[in-house]
Amino acid sequence: MSGMNLQMLPKMRDSWSYLYVDRCRIDQDGKAIALHDLNGKTAVPCAALALLLLGPGTTITHAAIKTLTDYGCSVLWTGEGGVRMYAQGLGETRSAQRLLHQTRLYVDEGLRLKVVRNMYSFRFQESLDANLNLRQIRGKEGIRVREAYAKASRETGVEWHGRTYKRDDWQSADPINRALSAANSCLYGISHAAIVAAGYSTGLGFIHTGKLLSFVYDIADLYKANITIPAAFQAVKEGLDGMESRVRRTLRDRFKEQRLLKTIINDIDQVLDIGVVPANSLYDVDSAAPSDLWDPEHEAVEGGINWAEGGASE
Amino acid sequence: MTVIILERVSISLRGELSRWMLEVQAGVFVGTLSAMVRKLVWDYLTTAVRSGAGVLIYQTNTEQGFAMEFCGKTSRRLRDFDGLQLIQIPS
């Protein structure tokens, strides 16, 4: 079913959020995907899955990658336990509509500032005083984050001495910092999958800037106080044995409770103030359809025809 | 909705289960059981399958929308990936 109609796929909101695997081989198996390890073969319903996280020791075949991307399952290569993220696959849209909108907002300083304010007021769940400048908003946000940590610490009894870790020495970090990193990495993965699935660019960040994943950090930050911070503290409270895996399990429940997959693309649209988006574009039904050609007067003219034959005189 | 699949069990055990559920095909049962009844029925089945095997599938409020439990000598295994349940075929 390659080149299939994207409408057949479950929407992002109906998907299972993620599958993390390591130390196994992934290949095509009877037109689907299967994991092979020492114990046997495990089938993966890739069309139902939003995100596949590949940890260390995984091997994946060309055919498997093709099937995964055909079915809109984002593939991310990550470090041990889903911490750190290296590479991405292709999402569930073939239309550039949202990317073009994002770019328009990004290049206009006034519009960009509006998006930044939208993002902060989304986090506060209240509208921000129009008199506050960006610096004051950042300060307000700093206080809110500090309170989120303090609240989670109070509720779970896990001690909190601040967000510190050495990037070059993972094990030296205290458990709660390791749990937070594991949780954030998973959240980055989901945000990344949603951004790519909706057809936005990961590189055009509004608050964050300069990295190819800046927009991923922007979007993930919308949810940290409500999702990853409580989940990480909860997992540490339950003990240190298998903590990283427990963090991810707790997150799966939180994603479900907060209906993250159902709302994340709408939330991104909301902070970018994109209004109503048509459910499907022509390219989702027929990815091989020729794209329009840009025209300064008409915005776009029909592509896939030869303009030497009469079309050019219009 | 609850689905139970039994293999290699006695006809009388299947008969007992058909008091609660519809036997759609040999060994395949479907019904609507409360959480408590489901647990009691399943606890009983796990002791009564002997050399046979059973699979329980029921709707629940998880991300997958359903959960599975296995008992006895099933040919496939249930694997849990950080809360996502998948099926493994042993090599």
Side-chain angles (χ1 to χ4, degrees), chain A residues 14 26 31 39 43 50 54 58-60 78 86 114 151 162 194 206 243 258 261 284 308:
Chain A
D14 300 323
I26 301 162
K31 303 227 166 183
N39 297 317
L54 301 176
T58 49
T59 308
I60 187 160
T78 72
Y86 307 127
K114 185 162 171 268
K151 176 164 174 277
F206 292 84
M243 182 191 68
Q258 310 239 351
L261 288 190
D284 288 342

Side-chain angles (χ1 to χ4, degrees), chain A residues 15-21 35 37-45 49 245 248-249 252 256, chain B residues 60-66 68 76-77 79-91:
Chain A
S15 298
W16 303 344
S17 55
Y18 72 95
L19 169 65
Y20 169 81
V21 297
L35 314 173
D37 59 18
L38 290 175
N39 297 317
K41 174 174 97 179
T42 306
V44 179
L49 197 61
S245 172
R248 289 195 298 270
R249 182 185 302 266
R252 192 185 293 286
K256 166 79 185 170
Chain B
T60 180
N61 185 30
T62 60
E63 188 177 82
Q64 279 178 295
F66 61 89
M68 298 176 281
R76 300 182 174 200
R77 285 193 215 124
R79 277 193 68 180
D80 180 293
F81 292 86
D82 307 322
L84 189 72
Q85 291 188 314
L86 298 178
I87 305 296
Q88 182 173 64
I89 303 169
S91 51

Side-chain angles (χ1 to χ4, degrees), chain B residues 15-88:
Chain B
E16 278 187 80
L17 190 52
S18 61
R19 292 175 194 165
W20 281 274
M21 305 174 81
L22 296 175
E23 189 166 16
V24 183
Q25 283 194 23
V28 181
F29 297 84
V30 63
T32 327
L33 307 184
S34 71
M36 191 187 72
V37 173
R38 182 180 70 229
K39 183 177 184 309
L40 290 172
V41 167
W42 183 245
D43 285 349
Y44 171 68
L45 284 177
T46 54
T47 59
V49 290
R50 296 168 188 277
S51 60
V55 176
L56 168 70
I57 307 160
Y58 58 95
Q59 275 187 314
T60 180
N61 185 30
T62 60
E63 188 177 82
Q64 279 178 295
F66 61 89
M68 298 176 281
E69 291 179 39
F70 282 28
C71 74
K73 293 194 178 67
T74 50
S75 55
R76 300 182 174 200
R77 285 193 215 124
L78 196 56
R79 277 193 68 180
D80 180 293
F81 292 86
D82 307 322
L84 189 72
Q85 291 188 314
L86 298 178
I87 305 296
Q88 182 173 64

Side-chain angles (χ1 to χ4, degrees), chain A residues 61-77:
Chain A
T61 62
H62 182 275
I65 286 287
K66 180 172 186 307
T67 304
L68 285 162
T69 49
D70 276 351
Y71 285 81
C73 178
S74 292
V75 182
L76 299 185
W77 280 260

Side-chain angles (χ1 to χ4, degrees), chain A residues 23-301:
Chain A
R23 296 175 181 84
C24 63
R25 182 167 56 84
I26 301 162
D27 65 13
Q28 182 96 339
D29 184 81
K31 303 227 166 183
I33 301 296
L35 314 173
H36 299 265
D37 59 18
L38 290 175
N39 297 317
K41 174 174 97 179
T42 306
V44 179
C46 53
L49 197 61
L51 171 68
L52 176 63
L53 296 162
L54 301 176
T58 49
T59 308
I60 187 160
T61 62
H62 182 275
I65 286 287
K66 180 172 186 307
T67 304
L68 285 162
T69 49
D70 276 351
Y71 285 81
C73 178
S74 292
V75 182
L76 299 185
W77 280 260
T78 72
E80 181 88 42
V83 175
R84 292 194 176 203
M85 178 169 48
Y86 307 127
Q88 72 173 62
L90 190 64
E92 279 187 348
T93 184
R94 305 290 177 263
S95 160
Q97 188 191 14
R98 283 189 170 97
L99 174 61
L100 296 173
H101 175 76
Q102 185 186 10
T103 314
R104 274 193 288 274
L105 298 175
Y106 177 82
V107 295
D108 182 310
E109 202 164 285
L111 291 175
R112 180 171 181 173
L113 192 60
K114 185 162 171 268
V115 172
V116 170
R117 298 183 80 96
N118 278 352
M119 285 177 165
Y120 281 118
S121 54
F122 184 97
R123 294 194 218 172
F124 288 110
Q125 292 299 331
E126 60 184 68
S127 58
L128 289 168
D129 192 331
N131 297 323
L132 291 175
N133 65 29
L134 196 48
R135 199 190 178 113
Q136 290 167 316
I137 297 174
R138 275 201 294 263
K140 205 166 143 76
E141 166 66 7
I143 294 170
R144 188 192 71 117
V145 170
R146 206 163 56 205
E147 281 171 358
Y149 285 127
K151 176 164 174 277
S153 175
R154 266 199 313 278
E155 284 174 355
T156 57
V158 173
E159 281 189 41
W160 176 246
H161 304 292
R163 184 87 174 105
T164 48
Y165 55 91
K166 284 188 188 158
R167 276 177 302 169
D168 49 0
D169 187 6
W170 172 244
Q171 290 299 335
S172 76
D174 61 355
I176 182 60
N177 271 291
R178 288 214 310 275
L180 281 165
S181 297
N184 286 340
S185 166
C186 194
L187 179 63
Y188 291 147
I190 304 292
S191 308
H192 194 152
I195 288 167
V196 174
Y200 288 112
S201 158
T202 59
L204 298 178
F206 292 84
I207 295 175
H208 295 84
T209 191
K211 285 182 86 167
L212 202 51
L213 299 178
S214 296
F215 194 51
V216 174
Y217 303 138
D218 279 1
I219 297 305
D221 275 357
L222 303 178
Y223 305 106
K224 281 185 183 168
N226 286 338
I227 297 185
T228 54
I229 293 175
F233 275 86
Q234 182 64 34
V236 172
K237 181 191 175 190
E238 288 167 11
L240 302 183
D241 210 28
M243 182 191 68
E244 273 97 343
S245 172
R246 205 141 24 72
V247 172
R248 289 195 298 270
R249 182 185 302 266
T250 313
L251 275 182
R252 192 185 293 286
D253 292 340
R254 297 254 169 189
F255 291 155
K256 166 79 185 170
E257 282 161 25
Q258 310 239 351
R259 301 149 70 87
L260 179 67
L261 288 190
K262 198 166 196 161
T263 59
I264 186 166
I265 290 180
N266 289 338
D267 292 345
I268 302 173
D269 288 346
Q270 189 195 323
V271 293
L272 296 190
D273 200 9
I274 199 170
V276 179
V277 184
N280 285 285
S281 87
L282 166 69
Y283 304 120
D284 288 342
V285 183
D286 177 8
S287 63
S291 71
D292 290 338
L293 306 177
W294 179 72
D295 185 278
E297 282 166 39
H298 301 93
E299 194 158 323
V301 296

